[in-house]
């Protein structure tokens, strides 16, 4: 049986929420507050970790309708149409470039460095990036088709930023370096 008492000041909205919960659950206010504190303590790390910033960003991206969740296998199935460079549809390539040009305007207002762009694209799930001590970025893509698409997209989407990039492709990784324009 609890022996410590705590006095809590509630604003009107919180008071109404607590009353609504007591009506719905049949629990006492004290019990609900104990459960809320236990829940908060159990989830404290996740609510204060940097991942929670990512969760907020994901929420904002998805709630605007501008981005969608896409099964990775579906993405690969769609991108398999582009495996042969000689068979790539020029109209589709123009659409990809148009999307990149649109993002170039957005990125010019939002990002100042290649690192910022790569972190954003990493958050979107298109790549994994690791910065080395020389200011270069080792980028790994989930597949060759995603790699092809994202390299094309990156080239087109950074045109309005105050730098150029140098791209060195390896077997499974790409090395990107920022150069002043």
């Amino acid at each position: 049986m609890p022996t410590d008492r705590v006095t809590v000041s509630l604003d009107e909205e919180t008071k109404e929420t607590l009353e609504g919960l007591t009506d719905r659950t049949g629990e006492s206010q004290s019990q609900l507050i104990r459960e809320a504190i236990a829940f908060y303590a159990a989830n404290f790390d996740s609510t204060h970790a940097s991942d929670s910033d990512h969760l907020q960003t994901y929420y904002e991206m998805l709630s605007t309708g501008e981005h969608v969740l896409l099964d990775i296998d579906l993405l690969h199935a769609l991108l398999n149409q582009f495996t042969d460079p000689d068979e790539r549809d020029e109209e589709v390539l123009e659409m990809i470039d148009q999307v990149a040009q649109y993002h170039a305007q957005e990125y010019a207002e939002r990002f100042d460095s290649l690192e910022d762009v790569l972190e954003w694209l990493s958050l979107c799930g298109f790549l994994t990036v690791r910065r080395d001590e020389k200011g270069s970025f080792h980028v790994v893509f989930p597949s060759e088709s995603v790699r092809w698409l994202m390299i094309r997209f990156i080239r087109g989407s950074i045109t309005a930023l105050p730098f150029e990039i140098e791209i060195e492709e390896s077997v499974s990784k790409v090395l990107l370096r920022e150069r002043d324009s």
Side-chain angles (χ1 to χ4, degrees):
M1 199 74 187
T3 59
D4 290 340
R5 294 195 176 273
V6 175
T7 302
V8 179
S9 298
L10 303 176
D11 59 28
E12 192 60 35
E13 182 181 353
T14 307
K15 178 184 170 202
E16 289 173 9
T17 301
L18 182 58
E19 288 170 352
L21 284 170
T22 57
D23 291 344
R24 286 173 55 196
T25 65
E27 300 282 350
S28 69
Q29 289 182 349
S30 293
Q31 181 60 30
L32 286 174
I33 290 172
R34 284 191 293 272
E35 290 175 10
I37 291 170
F39 179 82
Y40 183 70
N43 293 285
F44 182 83
D45 288 340
S46 64
T47 62
H48 290 85
S50 63
D51 286 348
S52 66
D53 294 338
H54 292 317
L55 292 174
Q56 179 63 33
T57 302
Y58 293 145
Y59 170 76
E60 290 169 7
M61 291 169 68
L62 293 171
S63 66
T64 63
E66 191 175 343
H67 296 88
V68 297
L69 290 177
L70 180 65
D71 182 86
I72 193 71
D73 290 333
L74 180 57
L75 175 64
H76 289 269
L78 292 169
L79 289 176
N80 277 340
Q81 298 180 62
F82 303 107
T83 54
D84 185 353
D86 296 330
E87 294 182 17
R88 291 180 181 147
D89 185 317
E90 201 56 43
E91 197 173 308
V92 175
L93 295 176
E94 288 174 14
M95 281 192 278
I96 292 169
D97 293 342
Q98 182 180 0
V99 171
Q101 289 168 3
Y102 174 82
H103 280 79
Q105 296 169 18
E106 178 187 343
Y107 288 5
E109 297 174 13
R110 187 174 192 174
F111 302 126
D112 296 319
S113 68
L114 176 60
E115 183 172 20
D116 293 341
V117 173
L118 293 176
E119 282 181 16
W120 176 252
L121 294 174
S122 176
L123 180 65
C124 293
F126 289 112
L127 52 90
T128 303
V129 63
R130 182 177 51 86
R131 186 175 213 269
D132 75 10
E133 62 277 350
K134 299 173 193 141
S136 299
F137 302 90
H138 299 270
V139 182
V140 179
F141 300 91
S143 72
E144 191 168 327
S145 56
V146 172
R147 175 176 147 174
W148 166 81
L149 174 69
M150 293 314 299
I151 292 295
R152 186 177 188 104
F153 177 80
I154 290 168
R155 281 188 169 121
S157 66
I158 64 162
T159 56
L161 293 173
F163 59 84
E164 294 178 5
I165 58 171
E166 190 177 302
I167 301 173
E168 187 178 318
E169 297 191 41
S170 181
V171 175
S172 63
K173 294 188 273 189
V174 174
L175 184 65
L176 297 173
R177 287 185 200 90
E178 184 177 318
R179 292 188 323 229
D180 292 329
S181 26

